[in-house]
Amino acid sequence: MSDLTIRSVESRIIDVPLIRPHGFATTTSTEQHILLVSVQLENGVMGYGEGVVPGGPWWGGESVETMKAIVDGYLAPVMVGRKVSELAGIMADLERVVARARYSKAAVDVAMHDAWARALNIPVRDLLGGTVRDKVDVTWALGVLPLNVAVAEIEERIEEFGNRSFKLKMGAGDPAEDTRRVAELTREVGDRVSIRIDINARWDRRTALQYLPKLAEAGVELFEQPTPADDLETLREITRRTNVSVMADESVWTPAEALAVVKAQAADVIALKTTKHGGLLESKKIAAIAEAGGLACHGATSLEGPIGTAASLQFAAATKAISYGTELFGPQLLKDTYIVQDFEYKDGQVTIPEGPGLGVDIDLDKVNFYTRQ
Ligand code: MUC
Ligand code: MG
């Protein structure tokens, strides 16, 4: 019997350039910074996971630099010497040593899933219950862009990859101007593709109730987190007042928060990010709560690289509740990859990789090339 004991846990920061700047409500990224975590077992098997946040600590308080300190200094010592088949027990013990820090915990959760599945020569999806789907729809996110640039990018993605839905980031500028820009764009392309918006919790109640109806009228199909995370009352009011689906993102980090959204009937969809929730085990709980409460889950992203994306794809493969498509386009936003395989993005979908573990293999030369000195 091969030895499933964790021999070592290592991490390094890699910086990968983006194909174009990605504008969020509060910052703009030109590179994605990723904490690549590796877990090696005594039998020699390696597993990988990514610690990754969208564009820096503005989103959830963690950054690759803080994650490195947490993983190396606090999580790794709890993991080394334990059997990877005790994953649930290890994750529970991590809670005793480090509060919150869910992005850091996601990186080690995924690396352990990958190593364990590889040791058993099965895909990670089999550890999560097996397959419900082998492809998922992919929404392309545009960031904050001027109208003509956004339209050109949408046309290009439709032509090249058949994307059928697009997410625009809002909340960076004056709400009236921002609304005009997005409403005009929606009128221009909204009969051919679905336009969704993500305001990243930047609007207050009054602004949201003033401008969201105009966006609904223009044909926007989904409002993602228009208002502050803790204000479920307003989110519920928006859900009630408009016919547009409302997605909770910043409002749901934990299973308890997912339950609160269900109880408050504050949204129709939950943005499920395997990173934000602290890994695949915690994400399963969110999915179960959403499903029981009659909410759909969207396979959302923190702009993961290929390893983190493969993890979220394995999760979507095994989780029926991911019924509102995905935005797992992270690898397409990176200028280069650091896995051996290419993902198959086609007809607005991506095929979920097969093969042991996450279904993708690391390209160590590339990883070395992008490692921060
Ligand atoms: C978010 O808030 O959803 C995902 C895609 C994107 O452009 O931003 C992220 C984060
Ligand atoms: Mg969001």
Side-chain angles (χ1 to χ4, degrees), residues 59 167 169 198 200 224 249-250 273:
W59 209 101
K167 158 162 146 176
K169 305 295 278 187
D198 185 2
N200 280 117
E224 179 173 342
D249 185 4
E250 281 88 339
K273 297 176 176 168

Side-chain angles (χ1 to χ4, degrees), residues 112-190:
M112 287 191 285
H113 273 95
D114 188 30
W116 187 16
R118 280 175 192 274
L120 298 172
N121 199 29
I122 58 170
V124 163
R125 63 173 90 176
D126 286 8
L127 290 177
L128 303 173
T131 303
V132 288
R133 59 176 72 84
D134 52 22
K135 277 182 189 159
V136 286
D137 289 349
V138 180
T139 298
W140 176 260
L142 287 130
V144 178
L145 288 173
L147 178 70
N148 58 334
V149 181
V151 171
E153 192 170 311
I154 289 172
E155 298 293 356
E156 198 184 296
R157 303 312 293 190
I158 297 173
E159 172 79 20
E160 251 191 89
F161 298 101
N163 293 89
R164 293 184 285 264
S165 56
F166 294 85
K167 158 162 146 176
L168 283 112
K169 305 295 278 187
M170 294 183 73
D174 169 58
E177 185 43 47
D178 220 11
T179 299
R180 251 195 308 279
R181 176 181 66 94
V182 172
E184 208 176 317
L185 180 140
T186 309
R187 282 191 209 99
E188 208 161 317
V189 296

Side-chain angles (χ1 to χ4, degrees), residues 6-250:
I6 298 172
R7 180 193 291 164
S8 62
V9 179
E10 285 172 7
S11 76
R12 54 165 101 192
I13 294 172
I14 55 179
D15 303 305
V16 187
L18 305 186
I19 55 170
R20 54 135 173 81
H22 196 71
F24 300 97
T26 63
T27 183
T28 298
S29 293
T30 54
E31 293 187 311
Q32 183 54 308
H33 313 295
I34 294 165
L35 185 73
L36 187 66
V37 174
S38 59
V39 164
Q40 185 170 33
L41 307 183
E42 287 294 353
N43 62 13
V45 168
M46 299 281 289
Y48 291 91
E50 286 178 1
V52 51
V53 294
W58 71 279
W59 209 101
E62 289 184 82
S63 71
V64 279
E65 295 83 9
T66 68
M67 286 189 268
K68 184 152 181 37
I70 291 288
V71 170
D72 295 353
Y74 298 93
L75 304 184
V78 177
M79 296 159 65
V80 171
R82 304 278 291 274
K83 288 213 179 343
V84 77
S85 51
E86 292 167 37
L87 207 160
I90 296 171
M91 293 307 293
D93 289 343
L94 295 182
E95 287 304 310
R96 287 208 278 265
V97 179
V98 177
R100 299 189 179 87
R102 296 193 180 87
Y103 287 99
S104 307
K105 289 171 188 161
V108 301
D109 162 291
V110 168
M112 287 191 285
H113 273 95
D114 188 30
W116 187 16
R118 280 175 192 274
L120 298 172
N121 199 29
I122 58 170
V124 163
R125 63 173 90 176
D126 286 8
L127 290 177
L128 303 173
T131 303
V132 288
R133 59 176 72 84
D134 52 22
K135 277 182 189 159
V136 286
D137 289 349
V138 180
T139 298
W140 176 260
L142 287 130
V144 178
L145 288 173
L147 178 70
N148 58 334
V149 181
V151 171
E153 192 170 311
I154 289 172
E155 298 293 356
E156 198 184 296
R157 303 312 293 190
I158 297 173
E159 172 79 20
E160 251 191 89
F161 298 101
N163 293 89
R164 293 184 285 264
S165 56
F166 294 85
K167 158 162 146 176
L168 283 112
K169 305 295 278 187
M170 294 183 73
D174 169 58
E177 185 43 47
D178 220 11
T179 299
R180 251 195 308 279
R181 176 181 66 94
V182 172
E184 208 176 317
L185 180 140
T186 309
R187 282 191 209 99
E188 208 161 317
V189 296
D191 54 339
R192 286 186 292 147
V193 294
S194 158
I195 297 294
R196 294 122 186 241
I197 55 163
D198 185 2
I199 304 169
N200 280 117
R202 298 295 137 176
W203 284 357
D204 59 19
R205 180 179 181 282
R206 199 186 55 80
T207 307
L209 294 177
Q210 182 175 352
Y211 291 105
L212 290 176
K214 297 186 202 311
L215 291 163
E217 208 179 283
V220 168
E221 286 200 1
L222 178 83
F223 297 149
E224 179 173 342
Q225 197 76 46
T227 45
D230 293 337
D231 185 3
L232 295 188
E233 290 272 321
T234 297
L235 209 57
R236 173 195 164 96
E237 200 171 340
I238 294 164
T239 303
R240 285 280 159 93
R241 279 206 203 180
T242 67
N243 288 325
V244 174
S245 293
V246 171
M247 180 151 82
D249 185 4
E250 281 88 339

